[in-house]
Amino acid sequence: MAVNNYVYRFGKVTDGNRTMRELIGGKGANLAEMCNIGIPVPPGFTISTEACAYTIDNNMVWPEELYDQVLEGVSHIERETGTKFGDPVNPLLISVRSGAAVSMPGMMDTILNLGINDTVVEALIKKTGNERFVYDSYRRFIDMFGDVVMGVAHEHFEEAIDHLKKEVMVTDDIDLSAEELKILTDRYKAIYRKHTGHMFPEDPVEQLKFAINSVFSSWNSSRAIKYREISHISGLVGTGVNVQAMVYGNMGDSSATGVCFTRNPSTGDNELYGEFLVNAQGEDVVAGIRTPLPISKMKKEMPEVYDELFRYTSKLESHYKNMQDIEFTIQEGKLYILQTRNGKRTGTTAVKIAVDLVNQDIITREDAISGLVEPEHIEQLLHPQFSTNAINEKEILGKGLPASPGAAVGRVDRKSNTSELQSPDHL
């Protein structure tokens, strides 16, 4: 009998490419494609959408071949990194992410640092000599695993870290010492035990199985179903699961994490646009825990890495023939690209980018019309808009960091310098 293949590797050895979105999801297809064109991507493997569909249809029982193929996928990462999953001397940690053929914000959140336990912690401390980094990674994993996989609300962990910061009289998470993060890790374990009735799982393979099932289950979550409904997404059988070697942006001042666009998504200007955080992991950038820095500042703080990032982002835009939205991590001065996808943009920006790409001979006029400018973009151009030339700087009441592409309504009292604004969600 023919063996069904459910796992596709990427790294120095790569099985997939960008044409396989339906089978391994958009994220998995792009990870494989980046490896194929020489972009520095941490190695990993993708579990197919077919495996997701089979598991859901069979009451969360995996296909017969999947378990052994997942273990072989882990072995692939071990061979390419020279580390070993759960090893007490040179351990491998991994991330787990969902990835359907179409990007779906309603799907599962990322799980980072999977594979860590009390034994692995000691090994990582000996290996890195950085106790603070290790306990920071451990407490993050307990939080994410508890929240995403086991349904322990993130707010319980957030309350614990806020309480500890008050105890030791610091303001930011980054100000907590290694010893304080060790205390926090124990408190996170207690929270997990209280809300699940179980000790936190120490077996890395068990952790991985739980995480994979969580991704599979997220395909039929109420959020994901509603998103597919609103976005008129149909015909997809499930989501891929991306398992990837961890790289660490939280190893000190020579490490960082960030997101960037190959062009400004608001104006269409041909410039590297985005944000990054030094000594942080990916969720810090999007969670609002700390205020990120504009990517332009990296040119001064990490000039060599910035130049390398610019080369790779330019290569990705030329390869995909479209503006790219890119996630990256810098580990002790070494750059890794974690994801690329076509970037979202406004109607006005879409037209400008399409015209510029034609003028730069990256795409043809036909490509611009059929692929880069959508009917919704043209509709946006027909709506009444404020003219920036009509704005008087002296008339502006206030400025702030945009936190959402949404809208708000309310009343601004200029005399008292107060406002009563509400999100539409609460009206």
Side-chain angles (χ1 to χ4, degrees):
M1 291 179 61
V3 176
N4 292 312
N5 187 32
Y6 295 110
V7 168
Y8 296 80
R9 301 165 296 176
F10 57 86
K12 294 173 185 174
V13 177
T14 300
D15 301 319
N17 58 61
R18 67 172 172 170
T19 67
M20 299 168 63
R21 298 177 67 89
E22 298 291 328
L23 180 62
I24 58 178
K27 193 186 299 285
N30 286 335
L31 287 167
E33 186 73 9
M34 285 194 291
C35 292
N36 288 334
I37 65 173
I39 302 295
V41 174
F45 62 91
T46 302
I47 301 173
S48 72
T49 58
E50 292 176 347
C52 173
Y54 180 99
T55 302
I56 291 173
D57 290 344
N58 288 274
N59 298 313
M60 300 309 293
V61 175
W62 286 9
E64 183 179 350
E65 304 94 336
L66 182 57
Y67 181 76
D68 287 341
Q69 290 180 15
V70 165
L71 293 184
E72 176 50 37
V74 172
S75 295
H76 158 72
I77 302 175
E78 292 174 338
R79 288 191 295 270
E80 295 216 354
T81 60
T83 57
K84 193 167 180 62
F85 199 42
D87 190 69
V89 178
N90 191 23
L92 164 70
L93 298 188
I94 56 180
S95 64
V96 178
R97 296 176 171 90
S98 62
V102 178
S103 178
M104 293 177 52
M107 293 291 288
M108 189 202 80
D109 296 319
T110 296
I111 300 172
L112 304 178
N113 309 318
L114 190 145
I116 200 168
N117 57 31
D118 291 346
T119 302
V120 167
V121 160
E122 295 304 318
L124 286 172
I125 291 172
K126 290 179 182 177
K127 181 180 177 180
T128 66
N130 191 338
E131 187 177 15
R132 190 196 180 282
F133 149 72
V134 175
Y135 276 107
D136 185 46
S137 300
Y138 199 2
R139 65 94 181 173
R140 289 172 186 270
F141 173 57
I142 297 169
D143 181 349
M144 284 183 276
F145 187 91
D147 179 24
V148 175
V149 177
M150 301 303 294
V152 182
H154 171 67
E155 65 190 48
H156 298 303
F157 300 106
E158 197 63 26
E159 287 171 4
I161 192 170
D162 286 344
H163 186 70
L164 180 60
K165 285 189 290 188
K166 289 176 183 176
E167 282 181 36
V168 300
M169 294 183 290
V170 301
T171 303
D172 298 323
D173 299 2
I174 199 170
D175 295 325
L176 292 170
S177 68
E179 187 59 36
E180 288 156 358
L181 287 171
K182 185 176 182 180
I183 292 169
L184 185 63
T185 299
D186 289 336
R187 292 182 183 180
Y188 276 15
K189 286 182 180 178
I191 291 168
Y192 179 92
R193 186 166 61 250
K194 175 182 177 181
H195 289 275
T196 66
H198 304 286
M199 300 292 287
F200 193 80
E202 287 275 312
D203 180 3
V205 174
E206 183 184 9
Q207 293 173 2
L208 181 56
K209 288 172 62 180
F210 271 118
I212 292 170
N213 278 337
S214 181
V215 178
F216 287 159
S217 298
S218 72
W219 178 252
N220 278 340
S221 70
S222 57
R223 284 192 304 165
I225 291 172
K226 179 56 69 176
Y227 184 85
R228 292 198 292 272
E229 197 177 292
I230 293 171
S231 303
H232 306 291
I233 298 172
S234 61
L236 304 181
V237 300
T239 180
V241 185
N242 298 290
V243 180
Q244 191 172 20
M246 278 296 304
V247 288
Y248 307 99
N250 60 329
M251 290 191 74
D253 291 341
S254 62
S255 301
T257 187
V259 295
C260 66
F261 294 83
T262 53
R263 296 177 189 243
N264 188 314
S266 298
T267 65
D269 290 344
N270 188 4
E271 61 182 2
L272 196 59
Y273 179 90
E275 301 174 324
F276 77 107
L277 269 174
V278 174
N279 196 16
Q281 283 199 328
E283 75 274 14
D284 295 344
V285 177
V286 295
I289 296 170
R290 292 161 53 196
T291 302
L293 300 171
I295 204 79
S296 57
K297 287 204 171 182
M298 184 189 289
K299 198 168 187 176
K300 296 179 180 178
E301 297 190 13
M302 300 178 175
E304 292 182 3
V305 177
Y306 178 88
D307 290 343
E308 187 180 12
L309 176 64
F310 185 80
R311 288 198 304 273
Y312 287 129
T313 55
S314 299
K315 183 175 183 178
L316 286 168
E317 181 178 271
S318 296
H319 184 75
Y320 281 92
K321 301 184 184 302
N322 204 333
M323 179 185 83
Q324 293 298 291
D325 174 359
I326 294 162
E327 296 178 13
F328 64 90
T329 286
I330 303 159
Q331 178 180 310
E332 297 185 311
K334 184 172 175 56
L335 174 67
Y336 296 91
I337 306 298
L338 304 182
Q339 177 174 309
T340 192
R341 59 189 171 192
N342 293 338
K344 302 289 185 183
R345 67 209 77 176
T346 64
T348 304
T349 303
V351 172
K352 174 174 170 47
I353 289 174
V355 171
D356 287 349
L357 289 174
V358 170
N359 290 337
Q360 293 171 238
D361 294 325
I362 294 176
I363 60 174
T364 64
R365 289 176 178 237
E366 291 73 21
D367 291 334
I369 295 169
S370 63
L372 267 68
V373 180
E374 301 172 359
E376 301 85 53
H377 294 146
I378 302 301
E379 183 190 13
Q380 287 179 29
L381 289 175
L382 300 176
H383 290 181
Q385 299 179 39
F386 289 110
S387 170
T388 55
N389 296 329
I391 297 174
N392 185 342
E393 286 289 330
K394 294 180 180 178
E395 295 287 323
I396 295 175
L397 299 179
K399 296 181 180 181
L401 182 69
S404 163
V409 298
R411 182 184 70 200
V412 177
D413 188 336
R414 186 172 183 179
K415 290 181 180 179
S416 63
N417 198 29
T418 61
S419 63
E420 296 177 6
L421 295 177
Q422 289 180 295
S423 162
D425 295 338
H426 297 97
L427 295 179

